[in-house]
Amino acid sequence: DIEGHRNFYRSRLIFRELNNPSVLFKDMYSKYMGPVQQQLRVLIRQGVSEDAEEKVVSMWVMTLMSQCVMFRKKQVAPIEVEPVDFSDAGNVEMVVNHIADTIFCGLKFRSS
């Protein structure tokens, strides 16, 4: 569908800007990445202890975003260190579940 193609090219452009920022980076960040990052902060804040410092929340945001970037980077530019292709349909769901499990288990552990 057309929206799927838009999302595909939008995500490619965002990842390109993350890896090699151009003059458009600030605009793209405020329109696409910033709102996502803020929502992540809200969700992660719910998973850490009430007295957690803001830098702890920031570390979790970066952890989650870094995992997503590396799995996406593997699709665009195969990384030789890891021979598994995570981009096929069956593996994408596995990657999403793995990242979610990692974050939620870690946050659950931190908030106890």
Side-chain angles (χ1 to χ4, degrees):
D1 74 340
I2 191 119
E3 190 59 30
H5 289 290
R6 282 187 188 139
N7 287 336
F8 172 77
Y9 288 109
R10 185 179 301 135
S11 71
R12 286 191 70 174
L13 185 57
I14 289 169
F15 280 103
R16 183 175 298 151
E17 285 297 316
L18 284 169
N19 287 309
N20 190 17
S22 73
V23 295
L24 299 175
F25 180 78
K26 284 185 180 183
D27 290 335
M28 289 188 67
Y29 180 85
S30 63
K31 185 171 183 177
Y32 298 109
M33 295 174 268
V36 170
Q37 187 176 2
Q38 288 307 313
Q39 285 194 341
L40 285 174
R41 295 184 84 72
V42 169
L43 293 171
I44 289 170
R45 175 55 71 192
Q46 294 173 10
V48 295
S49 63
E50 291 181 20
D51 61 341
E53 295 181 44
E54 199 57 33
K55 67 182 175 183
V56 171
V57 174
S58 293
M59 178 137 347
W60 279 109
V61 169
M62 294 302 294
T63 297
L64 176 58
M65 292 176 69
S66 298
Q67 288 184 27
C68 294
V69 167
M70 285 306 294
F71 279 108
R72 177 67 176 116
K73 192 174 201 69
K74 173 72 173 155
Q75 291 175 334
V76 176
I79 301 168
E80 297 300 324
V81 174
E82 183 51 61
V84 177
D85 178 10
F86 292 105
S87 64
D88 70 45
N91 286 336
V92 169
E93 186 174 342
M94 182 178 74
V95 167
V96 170
N97 289 333
H98 173 75
I99 292 172
D101 287 347
T102 301
I103 298 299
F104 293 130
C105 287
L107 289 175
K108 182 179 176 185
F109 175 76
R110 293 274 308 161
S111 62
S112 321

